[in-house]
Amino acid sequence: AELLTIREVAPRLLILVPGIGSQAGDLATALDAGLDSSGGGLLINSSRSITYASTGADFATAAGTAAKSLRDQINAVRG
């Protein structure tokens, strides 16, 4: 509800959205409420799930996979 209000007040503002990923924020709800009229306007922060994707030698691959997974989820909701 708050994000929708912010978007209504500031239709062209880039909005940082924290808490997606490990913090279990609802991506679809954030996108539905916050996307601007051109389908953008949000900067989705999911640093914890990417930063801690792995503690092993495969970190770069795991972090890349986590980032691409989030990107794919965002694009699926955007249509």
Side-chain angles (χ1 to χ4, degrees), residues 13-47:
L13 183 71
L14 179 63
I15 300 170
L16 174 63
V17 180
I20 302 298
S22 295
Q23 295 178 338
D26 189 293
L27 178 62
T29 300
L31 291 171
D32 288 342
L35 288 174
D36 64 20
S37 61
S38 66
L42 295 177
L43 181 59
I44 307 293
N45 180 19
S46 183
S47 57

Side-chain angles (χ1 to χ4, degrees), residues 5 12 24 31 34 37-40 42 47 50 57 59 61 63 66 71-72:
T5 301
R12 287 182 243 138
L31 291 171
S37 61
S38 66
L42 295 177
S47 57
I50 295 169
F59 171 76
T61 300
R71 177 205 57 201
D72 293 346

Side-chain angles (χ1 to χ4, degrees), residues 49-60 62-63:
S49 61
I50 295 169
T51 301
Y52 297 108
S54 174
T55 59
D58 66 333
F59 171 76

